Amino acid sequence: MAEAAEMADAAGGTFSAYRSRVFGERDRLWAALDNARESQDDALRGMLRENADTEFGKAHGFSRCGGVDEYRAAVPIADYASLAPWIESAAAGRRHVLSADPAVVFFKSSGSTGDSKQIPITRQFMRTSFFPFYYAAWANFVEHFPEAVHRADATLNLKHDPAPAVGTTRSGQPHLGASQVDFGQAFGEPLAAEPGSRAPWGTLPDFVDPADHLQRGYVRLRAAIEHDVRCVIGINPAMVAAVPHQLVQWWPRLVKDLYDGTIDGHPGSTPDPGRARLLERSAERAGGLLPTHVWPRMQLLFCWTTGLASLYLPRLREAFGPRVTALPAPVAASEGFVAVALDRHLTAGSPAITGGLLEFVDADEDLRPDSATQLFHELETGREYHAVISHVGGLYRYALGDVVRVVDRVGDVPRVEYAGRRTLSDAVGERLRESHVVTALRTALASTGLEVRNATCRVVDAPATRTGGGPAGAGPAQGAVRPRYAFALEPFLPWSDRETAALGRAVDAALSAAAPGYRSARGTGRLDAPEIHRVAPDAFARDWQHRVAAGTRPAQVKDRVFQQDDAAWQRLLGG
């Protein structure tokens, strides 16, 4: 009893310190927003001053940049490929290439080619451009859902995945995902441990195969069903959506392990026949376990709430419980933060103005090295923009590849939400962005009263139906082949053929309204009407499981608006 009391006192002390830190960072960001333009100027000047004597700083005249106009004139907008020679030099051990402060770790992030990026991470970057927003992001947890962070076992953190074997750069520096880094050890920040990262399932038994991501997921879930979990953290919403599927798929195995006191058949737990029978009865009544059966006091989901997730999150939230809240994860990537939610807005956050310079390019324009940019106070509500970041860690005018949407303004400061990747689907000049497709699907589903569990699309060829002889530019003649968009949609409840046809027409109209290029391509006959494929129940969850089983880390298996993988498309369609 005395030992338990000491542990409770220790946990209370840690929670008090954690609460003070996250509230302090949120308050500092709120205060900075009151003088937002000055905060941006200060962040830019600090970055230029710190790194003026680096190879990059000398090559681009940082010492001569008196403000943002000179900086924009001196440094072109860059993507990872453009900065790769500088980054690779730093990763090989060369000092003072991009930043005066040496990188202590390189974050791993998936590139567009499938190769892993090497994002240099310095202590100065973590101190000024990462930790302030990282801590502020948890303030809503602590203020409104303290039960989710007060106990180590109250949160099932799906993104926390310590690397069993750490990769390295050419110079031997750690190269791993941001979710795999121990911030306490690497940066001396013991309070930076995420909610749930110190749970009993945070360290897996020795028998678990480090390369078997499904087994790792099963063992974590097996341990978590013994505890009063109040929160699930996924960041990537596809990870959260996988949990109900895994409970249904694995419930006989889970119940047997719980009954016998085993972990994936291995000794290691206390048998609990009573709870095993209770869960078995719940599964039999419902046709499988739901999260709300396992954790009836669930309160919170934490993940991205926009993009494709906005179509399925309401029903997914119900599977976790009738009073579960979904809070948005920050608009951020391994390269840095764009915005973080300081209140309980369902989708949007305030710009991370103290962490570096934020620039934006109208999303309707192609992103070029010399694109004209706007600063945060120049953004228009309702419009979408490419996000470009600069920070002291060595990324300068770096195009994240993300598109953000301005939701509203609080005083002089816009709030933005993630709208999608900047990827364009442009078979015949339709120039569809991810946000166009998601917006069109949301509009079409609302107009037909239908719901989906997930969605994706791709361009396919279809025989043209227009008769020939029309005016020039009207489109191909009869018998020619022209492309169309095919949508793979998983209905929440079954749809009739009539409803499916009506949805196809509604999607076509909504895409025409959302994207001028699509409207033109349809009007001139360059693009045929879309087709709708109803896929089998749990088709997307099974495909997610397939990709994880093939070796991709769960955090990297994300929803895809545009499906480029032929094998995945055939799996979804049941081929």
Side-chain angles (χ1 to χ4, degrees):
M1 291 292 290
E3 182 180 354
E6 289 176 6
M7 291 177 63
D9 289 343
T14 301
F15 178 75
S16 177
Y18 184 71
R19 177 187 176 92
S20 177
R21 180 66 184 274
V22 300
F23 284 178
E25 296 293 1
R26 184 179 65 177
D27 291 347
R28 279 186 281 276
L29 186 51
W30 261 332
L33 291 172
D34 289 335
N35 298 284
R37 299 191 199 187
E38 292 180 17
S39 296
Q40 278 282 268
D41 290 341
D42 289 346
L44 175 61
R45 283 194 295 267
M47 178 193 75
L48 294 172
R49 182 177 59 253
E50 288 285 336
N51 293 333
D53 291 332
T54 63
E55 292 182 25
F56 191 96
K58 291 176 179 178
H60 293 85
F62 279 10
S63 62
R64 298 187 299 275
C65 294
V68 67
D69 290 336
E70 293 90 346
Y71 175 65
R72 288 191 287 200
V75 181
I77 295 173
D79 57 12
Y80 184 82
S82 302
L83 288 179
W86 303 86
I87 292 173
E88 289 169 3
S89 180
R94 191 180 181 95
R95 297 176 68 87
H96 294 91
V97 178
L98 287 164
S99 61
D101 194 23
V104 296
V105 66
F106 286 77
F107 283 171
K108 181 183 294 187
S109 179
S110 298
S112 58
T113 64
D115 297 329
S116 292
K117 299 178 186 177
Q118 300 179 105
I119 310 301
I121 303 299
T122 70
R123 286 188 172 84
Q124 180 77 342
F125 163 76
M126 295 296 287
R127 189 162 51 248
T128 63
S129 303
F130 184 91
F131 281 132
F133 314 106
Y134 173 83
Y135 281 115
W138 304 113
N140 282 320
F141 276 62
V142 176
E143 182 172 11
H144 305 294
F145 304 95
E147 298 92 342
V149 289
H150 199 276
R151 291 183 291 107
D153 66 342
T155 291
L156 174 58
N157 191 327
L158 301 172
K159 71 178 281 287
H160 176 69
D161 186 30
V166 177
T168 60
T169 65
R170 287 169 54 193
S171 63
Q173 294 288 74
H175 180 214
L176 66 173
S179 62
Q180 298 178 301
V181 175
D182 185 332
F183 294 139
Q185 181 178 357
F187 300 102
E189 285 277 347
L191 290 177
E194 292 186 3
S197 61
R198 299 291 185 260
W201 50 87
T203 301
L204 300 180
D206 292 339
F207 66 79
V208 177
D209 182 354
D212 190 339
H213 296 300
L214 283 185
Q215 186 190 33
R216 291 166 69 85
Y218 173 83
V219 170
R220 288 195 182 99
L221 204 57
R222 159 66 185 94
I225 65 173
E226 294 188 29
H227 296 261
D228 179 20
V229 172
R230 305 293 184 89
C231 170
V232 173
I233 295 174
I235 309 298
N236 169 10
M239 299 177 74
V240 181
V243 172
H245 172 75
Q246 290 174 332
L247 285 174
V248 170
Q249 178 188 30
W250 290 336
W251 76 263
R253 181 177 165 193
L254 288 166
V255 167
K256 185 177 188 307
D257 262 347
L258 187 61
Y259 190 96
D260 295 338
T262 52
I263 301 173
D264 201 17
H266 296 259
S269 184
T270 302
D272 193 345
R275 179 158 171 76
R277 283 192 289 267
L278 177 64
L279 292 181
E280 189 169 32
R281 287 195 295 269
S282 297
E284 289 171 349
R285 285 195 299 267
L289 281 178
L290 289 174
T292 188
H293 300 145
V294 181
W295 305 295
R297 293 196 284 185
M298 182 71 69
Q299 297 176 317
L300 180 64
L301 304 179
F302 188 62
C303 60
W304 296 316
T305 58
T306 57
L308 283 173
S310 66
L311 304 181
Y312 63 73
L313 194 56
R315 289 297 192 179
L316 176 63
R317 190 174 63 236
E318 288 179 358
F320 283 84
R323 291 187 285 183
V324 171
T325 297
L327 289 178
V331 182
S334 299
E335 294 89 338
F337 282 80
V338 176
V340 61
L342 301 181
D343 56 22
R344 284 187 281 182
H345 193 282
L346 296 177
T347 63
S350 299
I353 56 171
T354 59
L357 181 67
L358 298 176
E359 299 176 75
F360 303 89
V361 177
D362 193 304
D364 288 334
E365 301 177 9
D366 290 326
L367 196 56
R368 305 181 309 275
D370 61 348
S371 290
T373 63
Q374 295 169 262
L375 302 180
F376 75 93
H377 60 274
E378 300 171 313
L379 304 184
E380 298 178 36
T381 300
R383 293 195 64 82
E384 296 181 355
Y385 300 89
H386 302 287
V388 178
I389 65 172
S390 300
H391 60 64
V392 73
L395 297 185
Y396 306 108
R397 306 200 76 203
Y398 181 88
L400 276 180
D402 290 338
V403 173
V404 298
R405 180 185 300 110
V406 181
V407 173
D408 59 14
R409 303 181 80 85
V410 179
D412 187 41
V413 182
R415 284 196 295 192
V416 301
E417 67 182 16
Y418 174 74
R421 296 292 291 169
R422 79 177 191 197
T423 309
L424 276 182
S425 183
D426 195 23
V428 292
E430 69 276 20
R431 294 181 61 83
L432 279 185
R433 294 198 302 274
E434 288 189 1
S435 61
H436 291 147
V437 173
V438 173
T439 298
L441 283 172
R442 186 184 302 112
T443 300
L445 290 165
S447 71
T448 55
L450 304 179
E451 297 177 274
V452 295
R453 293 188 186 275
N454 214 324
T456 191
C457 70
R458 71 181 323 193
V459 177
V460 298
D461 289 331
T465 56
R466 187 189 61 79
T467 57
Q478 186 174 12
V481 173
R482 60 185 178 185
R484 64 167 53 173
Y485 277 83
F487 286 82
L489 306 179
E490 183 183 326
F492 178 73
L493 295 173
W495 307 335
S496 69
D497 291 343
R498 182 185 295 275
E499 288 175 317
T500 304
L503 179 62
R505 293 189 294 271
V507 168
D508 193 24
L511 283 172
S512 295
Y518 181 91
R519 181 169 63 249
S520 172
R522 288 286 290 123
T524 57
R526 289 173 285 130
L527 199 62
D528 214 339
E531 62 186 25
I532 305 295
H533 296 273
R534 295 168 297 193
V535 304
D538 287 335
F540 281 87
R542 289 198 302 272
D543 184 64
W544 186 92
Q545 200 100 329
H546 176 92
R547 290 154 67 189
V548 172
T552 306
R553 286 181 55 233
Q556 297 299 322
V557 183
K558 300 172 183 176
D559 294 327
R560 296 173 177 174
V561 175
F562 299 120
Q563 181 57 257
Q564 305 297 335
D565 186 328
D566 293 340
W569 180 258
Q570 291 303 320
R571 287 195 299 271
L572 289 172
L573 267 56

